Amino acid sequence: ISLINEKGNTVETRILPPDNYTWVKEKPNSFGDFLLNFPLEKYGTQILKFNNTPILTQDLHEAVYKIDIGEKDLQQCADSVIRLYAEFLWKENRKDEIAFHFTSGDLVKRSVIRKGYRAFVAGNSVSFKKTEGFDDSYQNLKKYLELIYNYAGTISLTKETKSVTRTQDLKTGDILIVPGSPGHVVFIAGVCENKEGEKLSDR
């Protein structure tokens, strides 16, 4: 029995829960709700690289988020998590909460970058200088994120997240991360459960 609805355009409508399971309803305006209902490309869409060419492996996915990844080879696994969380905060008009650490430990806030300050990196030293005017646009958010992609990763992401100690407490939006250079991270895009409270997750 297929658990795929090819006409579905969100994780919640594309991936069908197994028998006796239902999707866990996420709180409105939460990160979980954002991911579960994020628009998908049509079924069968290939995964493309930044230069619009397909990756070699195309048989391990059932859905592709409908989002651009820019024209630079920057957005890796940790960056994808960062991008989606930033997009969520932007959508919810919580723009001043968009802030991420470099691997060096330096916190870089979007609210500082929008004021025209730019980060100057020399080894492990980071300084900020005002070189441009105020810019609160979405395009400037993407420039800010490109900066984060260059200097953040699984190590910094690990340091700014809290551990979930019990598997049954995992929820939509949580990440599974192995820090390192390279490390790897995936996020939970949806969780379903049965009447007994037993859970299954989709990544």
Side-chain angles (χ1 to χ4, degrees):
I1 299 175
S2 175
L3 297 180
I4 302 300
N5 172 22
E6 296 183 6
K7 295 182 179 180
N9 58 7
T10 65
V11 170
E12 187 171 29
T13 58
R14 173 76 58 82
I15 314 295
L16 305 177
D19 288 344
N20 302 317
Y21 282 82
T22 58
W23 283 114
V24 173
K25 291 298 180 183
E26 303 295 334
K27 293 180 180 179
N29 308 113
S30 67
F31 186 46
D33 183 68
F34 175 80
L35 292 177
L36 200 57
N37 293 286
F38 198 93
L40 301 178
E41 298 283 3
K42 67 179 183 179
Y43 187 77
T45 295
Q46 291 186 316
I47 299 176
L48 303 179
K49 299 178 186 178
F50 70 99
N51 59 5
N52 214 37
T53 60
I55 66 171
L56 293 177
T57 304
Q58 296 288 349
D59 60 347
L60 298 178
H61 71 279
E62 296 290 352
V64 177
Y65 276 159
K66 196 171 187 176
I67 189 171
D68 73 277
I69 58 171
E71 298 177 350
K72 299 178 182 178
D73 189 12
L74 293 175
Q75 203 165 301
Q76 308 299 322
C77 58
D79 308 314
S80 296
V81 173
I82 289 169
R83 170 75 183 281
L84 286 167
Y85 192 62
E87 292 280 354
F88 159 69
L89 293 175
W90 183 271
K91 177 178 179 290
E92 293 299 318
N93 200 27
R94 293 165 56 184
K95 301 176 182 178
D96 286 347
E97 296 179 43
I98 300 174
F100 297 96
H101 289 85
F102 285 172
T103 300
S104 63
D106 294 275
L107 179 64
V108 182
K109 300 180 179 180
R110 187 205 70 96
S111 59
V112 171
I113 300 302
R114 74 172 180 174
K115 294 177 182 178
Y117 288 88
R118 294 296 178 263
F120 292 84
V121 180
N124 288 325
S125 176
V126 181
S127 60
F128 294 88
K129 297 179 182 178
K130 185 174 175 60
T131 61
E132 300 183 30
F134 182 89
D135 186 350
D136 197 32
S137 68
Y138 179 70
Q139 288 302 316
N140 198 44
L141 168 69
K142 293 174 77 171
K143 289 181 181 178
Y144 161 79
L145 288 173
E146 286 186 1
L147 172 68
I148 298 298
Y149 302 156
N150 270 298
Y151 295 105
T154 54
I155 294 174
S156 60
L157 204 56
T158 298
K159 292 179 179 178
E160 58 188 16
T161 52
K162 297 179 180 179
S163 297
V164 177
T165 57
R166 301 192 311 166
T167 302
Q168 59 265 42
D169 291 334
L170 288 171
K171 61 183 182 299
T172 303
D174 285 346
I175 62 176
L176 308 177
I177 188 167
V178 178
S181 298
H184 194 51
V185 59
V186 297
F187 64 88
I188 297 175
V191 174
C192 58
E193 66 180 1
N194 61 20
K195 292 181 179 180
E196 286 71 43
E198 298 170 325
K199 295 181 179 180
L200 299 173
S201 63
D202 183 47
R203 299 183 296 280

